[in-house]
Structure formats: C-alpha cells, structure tokens
Amino acid sequence: MTECAASVRIRAPPARAFGVATAYDSLHDRLPRHYAMSRTRSRRGGVAVVQARMVVAGMEWSVMARHTEDAPRRHETAIIGGDGRGTTIVETYEGDGDTTVLTVRASIRRRGPLGVPLPVGRRGAQEWVSGLAAAIARAAES
C-alpha cells in the first residue's frame, strides 16, 4: 500500500465542494484528468456504487467503487472491484464561512486483478492525490 495525502483551500462553501466530488455521473466532465468515465450503478441513502475508469498516476484503471457520504463533511471511496481493488480515498471538508479546507488521503493498493502489479510509485501517487484535490477545488470555484 502507498499512503499519501494533500490539502487545499477552496474559495467555496463545503456543500459546493462536496457536491463536485459526489456528482458521480458527471465526474468525467468535471474532473477529466482523473475520470475517463463514471456511471452510478446503485444508490441507497448515503452509499452509492459507481462503475468508473479512473486515471491514477497516468494509468487508466477500470473500477467498481463504493462511495460513502457524510454530507458535507466526509466522502470515502473504496475500490471494491477491478484495478487497485482495496484502495481507499477519503476526502474531508472543513468549512470556515465561504472557504473550505479539503484534505484528501489515499491508501493505494498497487495490485490489479489476479495480483498483477500496477506500476504506481509513491511519487506518482502523491502527485495524483495533489492533482485530485486541486481539480476538485477548481471545479468548486468555477
């Protein structure tokens, strides 16, 4: 597992920033460098299962992910199938008036289906997490 984290200050309230990261069917439009495709398969309460093609450290992963929401404070993504199964990404949103501090923490499992190693190094993973936080910030501020 590769552990990494990044924080960014967003000039938008927490609900808006949280809304960007949890609009699953439009992630590929709002965060194109991180999602090539995303589609909600099911939703019950604060839990959604989403099929996606994520771009992680320059590699496209085909995944099935469980998203757990505690709006607008916490969003957790657990990859439950496909490439990087076992990877978790946790976003926390701390509001301060009209600004939000977004912290993204990721535990990236570097194994694909059938145990095939995925070439995701610590540096690539850190750049990916930093880029994801910045992309959410740009989308929320626009």
Side-chain angles (χ1 to χ4, degrees):
M1 287 281 214
T2 299
E3 307 272 336
C4 46
S7 291
V8 65
R9 182 170 296 276
I10 303 171
R11 292 181 308 253
R16 179 167 173 84
F18 186 86
V20 166
T22 57
Y24 308 120
D25 292 334
S26 64
L27 288 174
H28 56 281
D29 292 329
R30 292 183 170 202
L31 309 172
R33 291 185 179 164
H34 294 85
Y35 286 89
M37 180 279 293
S38 59
R39 178 177 42 186
T40 304
R41 304 301 286 175
S42 71
R43 179 184 277 282
R44 289 188 187 100
V47 178
V49 175
V50 177
Q51 177 184 4
R53 284 196 325 264
M54 298 174 63
V55 180
V56 178
M59 295 177 38
E60 190 171 298
W61 288 9
S62 180
V63 303
M64 189 66 71
R66 181 183 63 239
H67 294 262
T68 307
E69 303 171 10
D70 180 16
R73 294 181 300 272
R74 181 180 163 95
H75 171 228
E76 182 174 341
T77 304
I79 297 179
I80 58 175
D83 299 323
R85 185 176 53 136
T87 294
T88 58
I89 304 157
V90 178
E91 302 156 11
T92 54
Y93 299 82
E94 296 177 26
D96 183 23
D98 285 342
T99 63
T100 303
V101 175
L102 166 62
T103 302
V104 179
R105 290 182 185 4
S107 296
I108 299 174
R109 185 162 185 253
R110 300 183 300 177
R111 295 262 178 212
L114 305 174
V116 176
L118 298 171
V120 178
R122 180 169 302 283
R123 185 170 143 208
Q126 182 62 50
E127 288 174 2
W128 178 76
V129 168
S130 298
L132 178 60
I136 293 170
R138 280 191 304 275
E141 291 174 348
S142 64

